[in-house]
Amino acid sequence: MKIKKGDTVEVITGNDRGKRGEVVRALPKQHKIVVRGVNVVKKHAKQRRQNLRATQTGLVELEMPIDVSNVKLVTPAGKITRVNYREEQGVLKRYSNKYDEIID
């Protein structure tokens, strides 16, 4: 997967198209990522035992995973691009296909 935790991405399809956010979690086996502020759903959370952890109850807003193919990486200059790998001095580095610049 070419998108990592901490990257800034923009959603290109779906209900949240055009939104930008930071990748909170990457799930490479499912080919999905969780983006802050994108694909937010409301779930009902039942109250648990009182002595354990203090968790939020009632309606809780959660960010659900979205497929990696529905987002594009945002370069440090603020432009969206696809990502590829290039070997430089024996080390694989990510680079922008469109602007031909190294991202890492």
Side-chain angles (χ1 to χ4, degrees):
M1 214 164 56
K2 297 175 183 176
I3 294 180
K4 302 177 188 176
K5 178 180 175 180
D7 287 343
T8 303
V9 294
E10 182 172 329
V11 180
I12 57 173
T13 60
N15 293 337
D16 295 322
R17 182 174 63 203
K19 287 187 180 179
R20 289 186 180 191
E22 179 187 352
V23 176
V24 178
R25 195 169 74 208
L27 308 165
K29 289 185 180 179
Q30 289 102 20
H31 203 54
K32 293 180 183 269
I33 57 173
V34 177
V35 181
R36 180 170 287 128
V38 175
N39 198 20
V40 177
V41 297
K42 291 185 178 181
K43 291 191 126 190
H44 292 275
K46 191 161 93 171
Q47 187 174 6
R48 300 287 179 182
R49 299 174 98 191
Q50 293 178 352
N51 295 340
L52 294 174
R53 287 182 270 163
T55 58
Q56 188 176 1
T57 60
L59 278 175
V60 179
E61 290 188 350
L62 295 174
E63 294 150 347
M64 299 300 284
I66 59 173
D67 201 82
V68 176
S69 64
N70 295 337
V71 298
K72 282 193 178 180
L73 188 73
V74 177
T75 62
K79 302 172 184 175
I80 63 170
T81 182
R82 288 183 300 170
V83 182
N84 214 333
Y85 288 103
R86 179 181 290 168
E87 188 173 341
E88 290 192 2
Q89 300 164 357
V91 178
L92 277 178
K93 297 201 174 189
R94 295 188 306 166
Y95 78 98
S96 163
N97 276 0
K98 192 171 186 180
Y99 302 106
D100 202 36
E101 60 185 24
I102 293 178
I103 293 172
D104 288 332

